């Protein structure tokens, strides 16, 4: 794909819709794991869920005006922050699961700021009920935490590919 094609795609609603829909699919999968499969999310899972909501927000923001550079840069910034934070959290969770230690545990409640008490406002989505060291699910020998490392790394790699197209003017 040429740079001009990437620029055109990054400036289209389709690219931002793909970001938003993929993040929404991850959120729905998380809720299915929690309520359909009865797998309790830990506090690190909840933080990763929030990072995925950041990706969803980035996609929705980009959808509002994809031809506007300021909107793309704001959405790309949110995309980057959410991807990096999510990847950091997923790597920490995998480390906790692979190297359990009584000295390295996660808290029972999320440490959201008092002005953003998501676990109190929407406990069905943001209240952790599991332990970080538990590995309740695997697919193809890969844990859920490890799959989230793959997911966040993929989002970050996609952002790297689209960084210049996001920053370029529509007239380029």
């Amino acid at each position: 794909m040429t740079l001009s094609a990437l620029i055109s795609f990054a400036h289209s609603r389709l690219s931002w819709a793909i970001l938003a829909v993929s993040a929404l699919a991850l959120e729905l999968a998380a809720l299915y794991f929690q309520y359909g499969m009865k797998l309790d999310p830990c506090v690190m899972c909840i933080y990763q869920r929030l990072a995925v909501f950041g990706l969803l927000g980035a996609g929705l923001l980009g959808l509002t005006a994809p031809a506007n550079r300021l909107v793309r840069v704001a959405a790309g910034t949110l995309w980057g922050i959410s991807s990096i934070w999510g990847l950091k959290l997923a790597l920490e969770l995998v480390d906790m699961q692979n190297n359990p230690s009584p000295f390295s545990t996660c808290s029972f409640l999320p440490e959201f700021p008092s002005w953003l008490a998501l676990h109190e406002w929407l406990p069905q989505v943001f209240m952790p009920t599991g332990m970080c060291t538990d590995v309740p699910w695997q697919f193809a020998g890969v844990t859920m935490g490890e799959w989230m490392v793959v997911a966040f790394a993929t989002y970050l790699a996609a952002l790297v590919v689209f960084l210049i197209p996001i920053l370029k003017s529509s007239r380029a």
Side-chain angles (χ1 to χ4, degrees), residues 65-169:
N68 182 303
R69 183 189 290 178
L70 184 59
V71 169
R72 285 193 316 273
V73 168
T77 300
L78 182 56
W79 180 355
I81 291 167
S82 299
S83 297
I84 291 168
W85 187 51
L87 181 57
K88 178 185 172 296
L89 293 166
L91 288 168
E92 287 175 14
L93 177 60
V94 168
D95 184 54
M96 279 186 224
Q97 291 174 337
N98 290 335
N99 304 301
S101 164
F103 305 108
S104 176
T105 60
C106 57
S107 62
F108 292 106
L109 289 175
E111 296 172 10
F112 295 128
S114 60
W115 53 268
L116 190 67
L118 296 173
H119 62 296
E120 293 173 7
W121 300 343
L122 197 57
Q124 302 85 347
V125 177
F126 293 109
M127 181 61 78
T129 53
M131 297 298 300
C132 292
T133 53
D134 292 346
V135 180
W137 180 87
Q138 289 186 0
F139 177 72
V142 179
T143 68
M144 190 177 307
E146 292 165 339
W147 280 115
M148 290 310 296
V149 168
V150 170
F152 285 119
T154 301
Y155 280 116
L156 193 54
L159 177 62
V160 168
V161 169
F162 282 96
L163 194 56
I164 291 174
I166 286 170
L167 296 173
K168 285 284 190 180
S169 169

